[in-house]
Amino acid sequence: MTKNEYVPFLSKVLEVIPHTAIEYTFRMSYEGDVLPGQFFEVSIPKFGEAPISVSGIGDGFVDLTIRKVGHVTHEIFEHYVGDTLFVRGPYGNGFDVNNYKGKDVVIVAGGTGVSPVRGVMNYFTEHTDECRSLTIINGYKSADDILFKDDYPRYKEKANLILTLDAGEETADHHIGLVTKYIPDLQFEDLSQVAAIVVGPPAMMHFSVMALLQLGLEDRQIWISQERKMCCGLGKCGHCRIGDQYVCLDGPVFNYEKGKHLID
């Protein structure tokens, strides 16, 4: 029987992991293939639905990190362990780790943009033999805004980790400054073997990509995600249309060579 992609299914809330006052990860029951950077539509009858990026993948579950910023997400926060939510998906193309294997991998992400790339960071910190090197540059507004705090000690052991905050005092755990401040200092033996991923707010993505290009990378060596533009997930509402492309169908992950017009 062919799956009807318009019809949501019930998913059980297995665990709720708080990160900040307004950002929690909902660990949802799910059996099936899914990639980092894909997204699900989470819905509650009478309230509507919201697209949420996959922030973690495991045996029988996916993690959906949700920020309480609107009508639907406020209601989702009322559903906790043991409850069920309607979901449909996954949608989009996601990040294929095969594109980055054997490379010097650079992942630059800011704020909630860390969620869709967390799966890639987890993969390469768990399979360090599958990349030449791994550099993670993650930026947040303040120490109170950091997501996935428990991940960073592990990342620090396995990768060149640069954790930055917009403001505050520099400590042994984090630097102060925008993520773009640290890109020009990156050094590689062979720039042609670098693969970079950039996800975050529009201005951060624009200037991070520019810094990577100035470092010597080519357009084809950079991937971006436009997960912020998601709406229906099926290319029907037109919300994510840019030119002749529908981000939910053609993305949300794009190689910069073909997707540069999405952030320039």
Side-chain angles (χ1 to χ4, degrees):
M1 183 176 178
T2 303
K3 175 184 175 183
N4 188 335
E5 59 184 4
Y6 290 89
V7 179
F9 54 89
L10 282 172
S11 177
K12 188 175 182 179
V13 182
L14 302 176
E15 186 178 358
V16 178
I17 305 164
H19 302 295
T20 72
I22 60 169
E23 289 153 321
Y24 286 14
T25 288
F26 287 69
R27 181 157 290 175
M28 309 297 298
S29 63
Y30 179 72
E31 298 285 349
D33 295 331
V34 61
L35 293 174
Q38 289 189 296
F39 64 99
F40 284 84
E41 296 282 350
V42 181
S43 61
I44 299 176
K46 299 182 181 180
F47 287 90
E49 63 180 4
I52 309 294
S53 294
V54 172
S55 61
I57 302 165
D59 186 14
F61 72 85
V62 292
D63 287 344
L64 304 178
T65 300
I66 300 174
R67 188 176 195 185
K68 186 164 63 171
V69 293
H71 190 57
V72 179
T73 52
H74 270 76
E75 183 63 20
I76 290 172
F77 266 56
E78 298 301 317
H79 291 70
Y80 291 99
V81 177
D83 286 346
T84 55
L85 293 168
F86 283 102
V87 300
R88 57 182 177 89
Y91 297 118
N93 54 355
F95 291 102
D96 183 350
V97 296
N98 292 309
N99 288 325
Y100 318 112
K101 289 181 178 179
K103 304 290 186 180
D104 290 298
V105 181
V106 179
I107 300 173
V108 184
T112 55
V114 173
S115 295
V117 296
R118 180 173 176 252
V120 183
M121 296 189 295
N122 285 344
Y123 182 87
F124 283 111
T125 52
E126 294 166 5
H127 302 85
T128 54
D129 59 319
E130 295 188 22
C131 62
R132 290 163 59 105
S133 68
L134 175 62
T135 297
I136 296 172
I137 307 177
N138 286 177
Y140 298 95
K141 288 184 178 180
S142 72
D144 292 335
D145 298 304
I146 297 175
L147 305 178
F148 315 113
K149 291 182 178 71
D150 293 342
D151 290 346
Y152 288 109
R154 184 176 76 255
Y155 293 169
K156 191 172 184 178
E157 290 182 0
K158 302 292 185 178
N160 171 27
L161 172 65
I162 302 171
L163 182 61
T164 79
L165 304 179
D166 291 354
E169 295 185 5
E170 192 152 325
T171 71
D173 295 323
H174 58 255
H175 303 277
I176 300 301
L178 302 178
V179 294
T180 49
K181 175 181 176 180
Y182 301 93
I183 294 174
D185 295 332
L186 299 179
Q187 296 183 351
F188 303 97
E189 291 183 5
D190 184 354
L191 280 174
S192 69
Q193 296 302 307
V194 177
I197 296 171
V198 179
V199 187
M204 173 246 141
M205 291 178 64
H206 173 82
F207 289 107
S208 294
V209 168
M210 293 304 102
L212 289 166
L213 294 174
Q214 290 171 9
L215 194 66
L217 272 65
E218 298 181 12
D219 291 351
R220 60 180 177 79
Q221 294 176 260
I222 302 171
W223 281 258
I224 61 172
S225 173
Q226 286 289 8
E227 48 94 22
R228 286 170 170 260
K229 295 186 180 294
M230 297 298 93
C231 193
C232 75
L234 295 165
K236 301 300 181 183
C237 71
H239 178 83
C240 72
R241 182 179 177 182
I242 302 176
D244 61 352
Q245 290 182 307
Y246 287 86
V247 174
C248 63
L249 300 180
D250 301 311
V253 176
F254 294 87
N255 183 270
Y256 186 68
E257 187 172 39
K258 296 183 178 179
K260 64 176 66 179
H261 63 288
L262 298 174
I263 63 172
D264 289 351

